[in-house]
Amino acid sequence: MTDVIVVGGGPAGLACALELRRRGVGDVLVVEREAQAGGIPRHSAHQGFGLRDLHRVLSGPRYARRYAERARSAGVEVLEQAMVTGWSTDEALEVTRPDGRESIRGSAVVLATGCRERPRSARLVPGTRPDGVLTTGTLQQLALRGMPVGSRALVVGAEHVSFSAVLTLAHAGAKVVGMTTELPRHQTLAPFRAGAGLRYRFPLWTRTGIARISGRSRVEEVELVELESSQTRVIACDTVVFTADWIPDHELAVMGGLELDQGTRGPRADTELRTTRPGIFAAGNVLQGAEPADIAALSGRHAAGSVARWLAGDGSWPPAVPIECQPPLHWISPHAIGPSAEPPPRGRFLLRSRDFIRQAALEIRQDGRLLWSGRLRLTPGRSTLLPCDWMRGVDASGGPVQVSTPAG
């Protein structure tokens, strides 16, 4: 029996394990399916990692190595090339490794399995099925191994990670011929968009979708359609990179009988990052897709505090008060108020909208009582920080907390 099993060796999982050891938890095991721990940053050679959690700016590989090394130095056991495939009847985790299968049990389990982008098949894009159609994750894997990624690439999506894909393509020697989004504008920071556009000289087509991908052995061209006018244009390229459109890696949560949040599709967790199953916690981008690596790491650190307190307590698992979002709001994370009203990671909730709203008037209510009101800027694909002071007014025995716009 291990004290804590952390499933996932990315920033959230490693930061959680490291903090658990710092808090005196004895046996901490991290189970990672890839050959090396570190998560997505291992595949991102550009700078920009570690500002919020490590208070310095590192490249992705250096950031990943630093967490893995610190965790091991603190006494964390990191089990690599180990896939958790499910739960056994006695609630142990089933783990498959190159040398066989085994069951492992922990007093507590932290799910830190991250999220993934929906591939072409899930987006229902018609056309032929040639090589050269990738997600950002696949692109980064190929680039990390020094494998060819093509010479002319179209990037689908205009979030932060979409511009990260531009950097990866440039480092791999590919030219970006354009970026497309169905939304009316990009979702990253304006200076980032302007800098990338000036340096790499590619157009951004807004309110534009993909009508068809064509090619024989490899992508040859993509037909784009302007959503408002229905006019089409054909772009010659040999690579298409689908970015964003995230979904948490929630399969293990589903197999474990955890309730999923309807907005994020990740396991429902309260402000202490407790899920709906006693002894199971969740951290990082399995809760929502997708936040930067350092925010995921801070979520893992927050979860470690909750796990340590629970291990030292009486084992009780009181119910939480759910939080619900009304359209056009998409989701809020964490998704519930814990019994002790512990603030969420970084003392803020993450709030997403389906629409661009420059100054959205928001209200938070429980059973009709106004808990908070204010104005925030909302951008699809980018989280807005929502303060948490209103949690003091939540009735633990009351109904769900509702977050809405006055017209929502």
Side-chain angles (χ1 to χ4, degrees):
M1 171 74 79
T2 301
D3 289 332
V4 184
I5 301 171
V6 180
V7 184
L14 292 172
C16 179
L18 183 60
E19 180 67 11
L20 284 166
R21 290 291 297 140
R22 191 188 72 81
R23 289 173 175 264
V25 177
D27 298 322
V28 181
L29 171 66
V30 173
V31 183
E32 168 57 41
R33 64 187 174 189
E34 292 197 23
Q36 294 181 4
I40 293 299
R42 290 181 51 244
H43 315 305
S44 305
H46 57 81
Q47 300 288 322
F49 293 85
L51 183 61
R52 297 177 183 90
D53 54 341
L54 302 181
H55 307 296
R56 64 193 66 191
V57 178
L58 302 171
S59 69
R62 285 188 62 197
Y63 177 82
R65 282 197 304 272
R66 179 157 299 190
Y67 262 116
E69 291 168 358
R70 285 186 174 185
R72 287 190 170 98
S73 296
V76 175
E77 181 183 358
V78 181
L79 197 63
E80 295 165 326
Q81 289 187 288
M83 170 75 79
V84 178
T85 54
W87 308 80
S88 64
T89 55
D90 62 352
E91 300 188 348
L93 291 171
E94 296 288 344
V95 180
T96 300
R97 304 178 64 190
D99 57 355
R101 299 178 60 186
E102 62 179 315
S103 296
I104 55 176
R105 292 180 57 84
S107 299
V109 174
V110 180
L111 300 181
T113 49
C115 63
R116 63 181 185 274
E117 292 160 308
R118 296 181 195 270
R120 172 191 178 176
S121 58
R123 305 182 194 215
L124 304 178
V125 176
T128 59
R129 295 291 184 268
D131 290 338
V133 181
L134 315 171
T135 62
T136 309
T138 305
L139 167 68
Q140 292 172 334
Q141 289 273 6
L142 293 175
L144 182 69
R145 291 170 170 79
M147 300 175 68
V149 300
S151 59
R152 293 173 56 82
L154 174 72
V155 176
V156 181
E159 292 187 15
H160 288 321
V161 73
S162 310
F163 290 89
S164 177
V166 169
L167 297 178
T168 301
L169 287 162
H171 291 156
K175 175 180 174 59
V176 176
V177 297
M179 177 181 286
T180 178
T181 176
E182 295 186 355
L183 294 172
R185 54 186 180 273
H186 68 82
Q187 299 138 276
T188 190
L189 300 175
F192 195 9
R193 156 67 182 120
L198 286 172
R199 180 172 180 182
Y200 299 109
R201 302 287 181 181
F202 61 86
L204 169 63
W205 295 298
T206 59
R207 298 294 294 158
T208 300
I210 295 187
R212 183 177 180 84
I213 296 176
S214 301
R216 290 180 285 273
S217 61
R218 190 174 179 91
V219 174
E220 296 172 10
E221 63 183 30
V222 175
E223 182 181 345
L224 303 179
V225 58
E226 295 182 6
L227 301 182
E228 294 176 352
S229 67
S230 298
Q231 293 183 340
T232 61
R233 62 159 58 91
V234 174
I235 305 299
C237 58
D238 59 13
T239 302
V240 180
V241 182
F242 285 96
T243 69
D245 196 2
W246 303 98
I247 184 168
D249 272 325
H250 59 211
E251 287 78 8
L252 194 58
V254 171
M255 287 187 285
L258 277 63
E259 181 182 342
L260 299 185
D261 178 74
Q262 293 302 306
T264 65
R265 303 304 299 164
R268 180 179 287 276
D270 63 19
T271 49
E272 298 175 58
L273 302 190
R274 307 177 316 143
T275 70
T276 53
R277 177 174 161 183
I280 311 298
F281 299 77
N285 283 331
V286 71
L287 294 171
Q288 73 282 309
E291 298 297 327
D294 50 1
I295 292 180
L298 292 172
S299 172
R301 194 181 297 175
H302 184 86
S306 300
V307 173
R309 289 190 295 272
W310 183 72
L311 290 173
D314 60 7
S316 63
W317 199 265
V321 178
I323 310 174
E324 299 173 352
C325 284
Q326 303 299 317
L329 302 178
H330 188 190
W331 54 252
I332 189 170
S333 183
H335 325 103
I337 309 296
S340 65
E342 174 79 15
R346 302 191 300 145
R348 296 287 190 275
F349 288 89
L350 302 174
L351 182 66
R352 292 275 182 105
S353 169
R354 295 185 183 276
D355 298 338
F356 290 93
I357 309 177
R358 184 174 294 275
Q359 286 293 321
L362 298 176
E363 293 182 349
I364 301 177
R365 294 178 178 272
Q366 184 188 32
D367 299 328
R369 293 185 300 111
L370 181 65
L371 303 177
W372 181 88
S373 64
R375 290 185 176 272
L376 294 172
R377 182 170 184 166
L378 302 175
T379 300
R382 201 166 87 209
S383 293
T384 295
L385 298 179
L386 181 68
C388 69
D389 293 348
W390 53 268
M391 288 173 52
R392 291 192 293 266
V394 172
D395 180 358
S397 61
V401 171
Q402 304 283 342
V403 184
S404 67
T405 64

